[in-house]
Amino acid sequence: MNETMKTILNRRSIRAYKPEQIKEEELQTILEGGIYAPTAINEQPWHITVVQNKDLLDKINRSCREMMQKSGNSTFAERAKSDSFSVFYNAPTFIIISGDPKAITPEIDCALALENMFLAAESLNIGSCWIHAVTQLFSTEEGKSLKQELGIPAEYNTYSAGAFGYKAMEATAPTRKENIINIIR
Ligand SMILES: Cc1cc2nc3c(=O)[nH]c(=O)nc-3n(C[C@H](O)[C@H](O)[C@H](O)COP(=O)(O)O)c2cc1C
């Protein structure tokens, strides 16, 4: 099997990370992978925010916890109550991809960029996980000021966000659904 296929098959959502920060050249490789994703009519309609600052990571986590506790969803509220809860599993690097809502397919473009980053990370044996709650955070009142603090363009929406760091767990692939492919020849 070639290296690219091995990387695709080995990538898993990692939900426990070592505290040690990833190397600068590893971060740059992950980012380069992201911005080489395809985009509708090559708009590249994105802005990428990398957060590695502990205070800011804590602030984002606190805001997510508050949002989850007020969500009305008892499972989320219960989970977020615990002081040890980390929405990004204590990952040392958190990447937020925002996009221009006036672009043709910003949500798809930003999702493809994040998946490219996940695969680039896996090729370096770095773990990653999509973190959905943060994309909702920036539409709340508290989230709006945080968005400004993070330098995310005011007119952009946050479409995808992911945790990155050295893996502190191994995960196995969920079984694949069957009979979902129809090849017509
Ligand atoms: C759009 C999207 C949102 C997701 N949101 C979360 C999330 O908020 N937290 C989380 O731990 N995993 C999240 N995941 C990861 C999925 O749970 C995971 O991809 C799935 O269970 C399959 O596992 P695998 O990634 O190891 O193949 C998300 C994945 C996608 C594609």
Side-chain angles (χ1 to χ4, degrees), residues 21-24 26-32 34-35 47-54 56-57 60 88 91-98 114 117 138 149-153 160-165:
Q21 187 55 272
I22 60 172
K23 296 186 184 75
E24 179 59 25
E26 293 171 330
L27 173 65
Q28 292 304 328
T29 300
I30 290 168
L31 294 171
E32 187 174 24
I35 62 172
H47 177 88
I48 297 166
T49 308
V50 180
V51 187
Q52 293 189 318
N53 176 286
K54 178 89 176 74
L56 262 182
L57 288 168
I60 295 169
F88 29 70
T93 294
F94 188 56
I95 300 180
I96 300 162
I97 309 179
S98 53
L114 190 62
M117 290 185 193
F138 298 113
E149 193 176 346
L150 291 168
I152 296 172
S160 57
F164 293 83

Side-chain angles (χ1 to χ4, degrees), residues 11-13 15 89 129-132 174 176:
R11 181 216 56 79
R12 295 273 68 76
S13 294
R15 299 189 173 93
Y89 309 105
C129 188
W130 187 302
I131 306 298
H132 189 63
R176 299 290 112 181

Side-chain angles (χ1 to χ4, degrees), residues 36-160:
Y36 271 79
T39 54
I41 60 163
N42 188 32
E43 286 190 297
Q44 301 178 42
W46 45 43
H47 177 88
I48 297 166
T49 308
V50 180
V51 187
Q52 293 189 318
N53 176 286
K54 178 89 176 74
D55 292 340
L56 262 182
L57 288 168
D58 287 346
K59 198 166 178 178
I60 295 169
N61 190 47
R62 263 199 315 276
S63 300
C64 281
R65 282 182 63 192
E66 278 165 29
M67 179 185 74
M68 288 166 78
Q69 287 181 59
K70 288 185 213 153
S71 68
N73 178 311
S74 57
T75 312
F76 286 164
E78 197 52 43
R79 241 187 251 173
K81 238 196 250 169
S82 159
D83 282 339
S84 63
F85 176 83
S86 166
V87 72
F88 29 70
Y89 309 105
N90 299 303
T93 294
F94 188 56
I95 300 180
I96 300 162
I97 309 179
S98 53
D100 184 350
K102 294 196 289 307
I104 296 186
T105 56
E107 189 166 12
I108 298 170
D109 299 337
C110 293
L112 288 171
L114 190 62
E115 171 66 358
N116 261 21
M117 290 185 193
F118 288 167
L119 294 175
E122 177 59 35
S123 77
L124 302 168
N125 199 26
I126 289 171
S128 62
C129 188
W130 187 302
I131 306 298
H132 189 63
V134 180
T135 52
Q136 295 163 331
L137 175 67
F138 298 113
S139 51
T140 66
E141 264 327 296
E142 159 136 40
K144 278 181 194 152
S145 75
L146 197 51
K147 183 177 169 185
Q148 201 176 10
E149 193 176 346
L150 291 168
I152 296 172
E155 68 282 13
Y156 276 24
N157 293 339
T158 301
Y159 293 110
S160 57

